Amino acid sequence: MIIVMKSGSPSAEIEQVSEQIRRWNITAEKCVGQHKVVIGLVGDTAEIDTRQIQNLSPFIEQVIRIKKPFKRASLEFRCGEPSHVVVPTPNGSVTFSQNYPVVVVAGPCSVENEQMIVETAQVVKAAGAQFLRGGAYKPRTSPYAFQGHGESALELLAKAREVTGLGIITEVMDTSDLDKVAEVADVVQIGARNMQNFSLLKKVGAQGKPVLLKRGLSATIEDWLMAAEYILAAGNPNVILCERGIRTFDRQYTRNTLDISAIPVLRSLTHLPIMTDPSHAIGFSEFVPTLAMAAIAAGTDSLMIEVHPNPAKALSDGPQSLTLEGFEQLMQDLAPLGKFFGRWSQNYSTAKSSKLTSPQTFKSVAL
Ligand code: PEP
Ligand code: MN
């Protein structure tokens, strides 16, 4: 349930309404929007009659019952305005939000050694990425596959951060590793397979670093938003949702299916920023640029791209990883589209001439 206060309501009146709500053992969270103040109610509101609330103050404009099971993640809860996840990095603060430049996150699936992670970081930074993403703890289908170098890989990520000033995003798989991971990471990633690991969600919700929540392999949009709700309810307001493809029936030509429709649908449901990961969605590097363009056109706030100096030798996810040159080319190709939608940072490199990876994609866009 939300209480929309009339614009210009005195703050003492807003406080008094919130106080009364709390007396009913219901949490009242104030959201100050550009034009209005909304008080979001979380708790057992089923028994409360909306007229009972309306009578609390003549400054109440409207009382609206949120029927959806996610409350804090809902757009209504934040006055219908997008939230800004602002992440401090050595190179300056980066904002993930609607109407901001698309934030580019790039890096290898796994941190393999110092040379490859530092080289990758330098190249992706020069091409315009703001975050380096690399796995220290890897969720693998087979227990015999490379599991990540763990703590020593975290040290290498810290080194790459020091050298380039890029923000670091890396995955936490186990609650017992959270402190170590959060010490190095600027954004803590929850992978698709852990999207409904509720103890992990509560833990990342109780710490201070922003959280990147990847969509579960077969998660509905509601499952996903309810997982985000766990993190928000535990006190962490900085959640970024990442669409990374869902399981469908084709495993031969596509690894997963990028649910492009999730982007506008989420936009209508939630204030949380949206990232798109075309690499895990499609599973093959040759198609990554086309999906990245589609994601920008659909309104994504951020892109995550897997990049490796030598994909053929990668310890994980080689087939979907762009080469360093491939990533530079992608950034050149995305620039006109990003600018067309008003979502491209002035700071992204445009020094090299653009050689389009998929010319057909551009034909339909009037530039
Ligand atoms: C990853 O980001 O490298 C990863 C394992 O992704 P996902 O959790 O989406 O499968
Ligand atoms: Mn990967």
Side-chain angles (χ1 to χ4, degrees), residues 109 133 138 280 306 317 320:
C109 184
R133 211 285 319 224
K138 295 304 306 175
H280 289 87
E306 276 194 342
D317 285 350
Q320 68 196 34

Side-chain angles (χ1 to χ4, degrees), residues 264-297:
V265 170
L266 284 173
R267 193 64 91 207
S268 73
L269 295 174
T270 181
H271 53 86
L272 298 173
I274 306 162
M275 181 187 285
T276 306
D277 167 1
S279 308
H280 289 87
I282 189 80
F284 301 100
S285 60
E286 64 190 292
F287 305 118
V288 166
T290 308
L291 293 195
M293 289 177 199
I296 291 180

